[in-house]
Each structure stands twice: as C-alpha cells, then as structure tokens.
Amino acid sequence: MAILVTGGAGYIGSHTCVELLQKGYEVIILDNFSNSNPEALKRVTAITGKDFKTYNADLLDKQTIIQVFSENEINAVIHFAGLKSVGESVAIPLQYYQNNMTGTVNLCEVMSWYGVKKLVFSSSATVYGATDKVPIDEETTLGAINPYGRTKQMIEEILGDLFRSDQAWSIAMLRYFNPIGAHPSGLIGEDPNGIPNNLLPYISQVAAGSRQRLSIFGDDYATKDGTGVRDYIHVVDLAIGHLHALEKVQSTQGIDAFNLGTGRGYSVLEMVRAFEKASMKSIPYTIERRRPGDAAVCFANPEKARNQLNWQANRGIDVMCEDTWRWQYYNPVGYKETFDKQIVGKTPLHQATGFLMP
Ligand code: NAD
Ligand code: WQD
C-alpha cells in the first residue's frame, strides 16, 4: 500500500511517516523543503530502518505532481504541505492563498486524473475562529479570523464541492488542536525558524538558555489562573490519528471532519510548571498584554474521532514536555547540524536532568 505524503519532511509529516513505515506502508514524500530540512528524513530512516522515495518538489508545479503519480502506484494521499504561520499569513496573505489553496487544487486535480480519490487533509482547529463555547465539536460554526485559518476553511469547502461533484472520493479533514512534543527517540521534533511563535518551542528554548524569558500573553482571562487554556496534543498521538483516518478513507466513501485533540485544556502557567518539572530548569517569565486574536479557552470534544476513527490521544502533558525537552536538549540548533555532531561532548540526558532515554 503506497501513500503519498505531501509535506512529509515537516514537523507532523515526519512523525506520521515514522508511524506509517513502522506499520509497513510504502511511503513517498513530496516536499519543497520551504519549511523543513532533508536531515529530518534521514532521521526518519534512522528511527525506522526503512527507506522511501522523496521528491523535492513544489505543489505549485503541476508537472512534477504528474511525474510523481506517473512513476508510482499511489493508493492514498496524506496532505500536510502548506504554510502555517498566522502572523506571516497576515503580512503576506496572497502567498498563503496561493501556496495552500492552489497547491491543494493542483494536488486534487492530478489525483483525480490518476483515479486516486482517498485523501487525508491537515485542517486545523483554527477554522473555528474565536468561539467561546467549549468543548468545541465539529458542528461548531466555522469562522476563521486570519488568512491562514481562512485557507484551511476554504480548502475544506473546496473538498466538499469536489466530493459533491464525484462521490467516489473519500476525504477525512483532520482539525488539529495544539500539537506539541517530539518522537521519544529525540531524533525528530519541531524545528521553528527564528523566534518561535508557539508556546512550547518558546518555553523549551528558554529552558535551554537560548532565550532569556517567556512572555505570557495575558493573565486576566476568565480561566483557572488567568492565562490562556489550550488543548495540547502529543505529535505522536496526532500522527497515529492519521493512520486511523487512512483506514477510514480506504474503507468508505464520503467526506467528514474530525477534531484531533485530547479533550483537556491546560493553562500557560500549567505548561510552564510541567516543563520545569520535565527539564529540571526554571522558566523565567513576565506577564505581558494579551496577544490580539487569542481566545481565552480552546479545547476539543474528541468524541467523533473516538467513535468513528477508533482513535484517542493517550499521552499526557508530562510525556509531551519530556519528549519536547529531549528533542531540544539533543538538538539545540534543530536540524541545522547532524545529530552526531550535536551530541558530541553532551552530558547524557539522564545525568543532566534525571530522566531516562526511552
Ligand atoms: P511544517 O511547516 O513543519 O510542515 C509543512 C511541510 O510542507 C514543510 O516540510 C514544507 O516544506 C512543506 N511545504 C509547504 N508548502 C509546500 C509546497 N507548496 N509544496 C511542497 N511542500 C510544501 O508544518 P506542520 O506543523 O508539520 O503542519 C503540517 C500541516 O498541519 C500544515 O498544513 C499545517 O497548516 C497543519 N496544522 C499544523 C498545526 C501546528 O500547530 N503545527 C496545527 C494545525 C494544523
Ligand atoms: C498557546 C497559548 C498564547 C506564546 C496556534 C495557531 C493555530 C494552530 C496552533 C495551526 C496561548 C500563549 C504563546 C508565547 C504565550 N496552528 N503564549 N506566550 O495560538 O493556540 O494556536 O498554533 O493551525 O492556528 O494560532 O498556540 O502556542 O501560539 O499559544 O503566553 O510566547 O500560549 O497566548 O494562550 P495557539 P500558541
């Protein structure tokens, strides 16, 4: 069974490729490395002991997509490729609409020509916009509030139109909540460019000493401690969710959206404490003004995925923070240097922090 994984070198894609390879799927990756590093793929091979074909290609180049489909007997596609920064999408909206929407339309068009009509798509909880009603279920009215979120919402609509035009398609749209964590091997993880926008990459760089302190955006929300609450989900649980969605699209026809979250919210301060425990470092912080566009609370109702995909998240925040820290500790510059170089001269993690490699 051959699965095309677009964006397979990225954060969630690389973790999903590990799970696919370990389950015996043949994997073909298409990525333009605009936000990833080929080193991640070497490490996927190091973890799994398996090789796979990789195309350094852009979804905006339809000829290359055609080449990928003509050279391989693809059964289904998991489509991660896209740009994902909210702030950047406000600054350069046209690039976001072009990359995410045109890329997806090109992909679906070529899939259709080759009769490959099984698709798992990376959507996002961001499609729900600024709702106050939690937990959020899939019936919640959509209303993305920034260009990035609108690309996801519009792609969901495009995929709906595609299915209505041809009911041979089978499409799962996965709305992720807040993915964090890393593979327990410490070999792959999130490698943001420049200053991280998201909470966990920022906290882990503060723990590592490469940033001075965390800015907490607001402590006056109507939450347990005044800081924002989110549904953090371990990236390995998320990756496994894709395999369940793949089974679903292979066995049925239709189109459906599923929340992938834990159903539990943690505040920023709770995450700071959990990370301090995992890393045995203190995380200095200051309280700053609220970040525009942030909701107070956001967490999933994950029942639909449990009932229809037979999937649920199993890893708690302690494991999420330990795995993030292991990745950060052994890869202080992400993929910019090989793993071998980065660990030279490092105190083994269990001596440095008291917790064990798995
Ligand atoms: P990522 O940036 O690490 O991975 C995306 C990959 O797609 C990168 O390797 C990038 O090089 C590639 N890519 C981008 N545009 C491309 C193009 N035109 N052609 C070929 N390759 C292209 O992001 P991620 O965190 O792994 O997210 C994967 C998907 O999940 C994205 O679609 C993202 O919007 C979505 N998502 C992410 C989060 C999150 O917090 N990480 C949350 C919800 C949804
Ligand atoms: C989490 C909490 C912040 C950073 C974003 C995207 C969303 C999705 C996931 C792709 C909030 C607080 C953060 C910091 C802080 N991505 N925070 N200091 O905003 O829930 O979701 O990533 O689809 O579209 O919007 O995640 O990690 O940025 O923030 O206090 O330096 O941490 O205010 O309460 P968010 P986040």
Side-chain angles (χ1 to χ4, degrees):
M1 180 78 61
I3 312 299
L4 174 65
V5 183
T6 75
Y11 172 45
I12 305 168
S14 56
H15 287 81
T16 304
C17 288
V18 166
E19 300 301 319
L20 287 166
L21 291 162
Q22 286 177 337
K23 277 271 172 344
Y25 285 98
E26 183 190 341
V27 165
I28 296 139
I29 291 177
L30 183 161
D31 202 303
N32 66 0
F33 300 104
S34 57
N35 196 38
S36 53
N37 190 314
E39 173 68 18
L41 299 180
K42 289 192 192 147
R43 299 192 187 184
V44 169
T45 297
I47 294 168
T48 60
K50 296 196 175 159
D51 257 321
F52 44 84
K53 245 193 220 179
T54 302
Y55 288 85
N56 181 346
D58 196 311
L59 285 178
L60 297 181
D61 171 10
K62 214 190 286 182
Q63 279 312 316
T64 327
I65 312 178
I66 292 171
Q67 188 195 338
V68 174
F69 277 81
S70 66
E71 290 178 2
N72 300 281
E73 285 277 321
I74 292 165
N75 299 94
V77 177
I78 307 183
H79 175 34
F80 292 105
L83 299 175
K84 64 164 181 178
S85 158
V86 170
E88 191 180 61
S89 79
V90 175
I92 49 167
L94 296 182
Q95 266 123 297
Y96 269 67
Y97 287 116
Q98 182 169 51
N99 191 75
N100 293 2
M101 299 180 61
T102 308
T104 304
V105 170
N106 284 349
L107 173 69
C108 290
E109 202 171 14
V110 177
M111 287 175 70
S112 178
W113 292 339
Y114 281 83
V116 181
K117 297 185 178 179
K118 313 226 169 274
L119 175 67
V120 176
F121 169 63
S122 295
S123 187
S124 169
T126 199
V127 296
Y128 296 119
T131 178
D132 308 326
K133 194 187 136 272
V134 284
I136 299 173
D137 65 26
E138 290 82 353
E139 300 311 311
T140 305
T141 310
L142 304 191
I145 57 167
N146 53 64
Y148 163 68
R150 278 189 280 275
T151 68
K152 294 293 180 189
Q153 189 175 339
M154 288 182 202
I155 291 169
E156 287 200 5
E157 285 170 15
I158 291 170
L159 296 177
D161 288 339
L162 178 60
F163 175 73
R164 280 183 286 281
S165 75
D166 176 358
Q167 282 154 31
W169 279 86
S170 183
I171 303 172
M173 305 184 294
L174 305 182
R175 296 175 181 161
Y176 316 151
F177 280 67
N178 289 59
I180 62 168
H183 192 267
S185 62
L187 283 171
I188 56 173
E190 188 169 9
D191 182 18
N193 273 326
I195 303 172
N197 296 311
N198 295 117
L199 181 66
L200 259 284
Y202 205 104
I203 289 182
S204 62
Q205 293 189 8
V206 173
S210 50
R211 305 212 175 264
Q212 261 193 332
R213 66 176 59 80
L214 171 71
S215 297
I216 295 185
F217 301 138
D219 69 347
D220 55 352
Y221 288 109
T223 60
K224 47 191 135 186
D225 57 26
T227 64
V229 168
R230 295 290 182 275
D231 186 339
Y232 297 96
I233 175 169
H234 196 297
V235 66
V236 172
D237 278 328
L238 192 61
I240 293 168
H242 290 74
L243 272 69
H244 286 244
L246 197 56
E247 279 171 24
K248 168 95 174 165
V249 297
Q250 274 162 337
S251 58
T252 54
Q253 281 162 356
I255 179 164
D256 222 337
F258 299 95
N259 286 342
L260 296 189
T262 65
R264 233 200 110 158
Y266 287 94
S267 73
V268 176
L269 280 171
E270 285 174 322
M271 296 310 287
V272 168
R273 301 294 169 232
F275 208 88
E276 286 182 330
K277 185 171 146 215
S279 62
M280 296 177 71
K281 305 276 179 200
S282 79
I283 315 283
Y285 64 81
T286 53
I287 304 293
E288 307 292 340
R289 276 203 298 268
R290 293 180 180 193
R291 187 172 64 176
D294 270 353
V297 181
C298 173
F299 61 92
N301 175 343
E303 283 308 300
K304 186 172 172 188
R306 184 152 69 171
N307 295 334
Q308 296 188 31
L309 301 180
N310 192 26
W311 169 89
Q312 66 179 33
N314 291 318
R315 291 159 180 80
I317 53 161
D318 288 342
V319 173
M320 297 184 210
C321 292
E322 284 168 18
D323 289 342
T324 304
W325 177 236
R326 187 180 300 103
W327 157 253
Q328 172 68 47
Y329 182 80
Y330 283 120
N331 306 272
V333 291
Y335 293 117
K336 285 160 207 80
E337 267 183 6
T338 62
F339 188 69
D340 298 351
K341 267 200 176 159
Q342 300 197 52
I343 61 170
V344 169
K346 263 203 150 340
T347 312
L349 191 61
H350 62 283
Q351 286 172 22
T353 64
F355 82 80
L356 297 170
M357 287 291 278

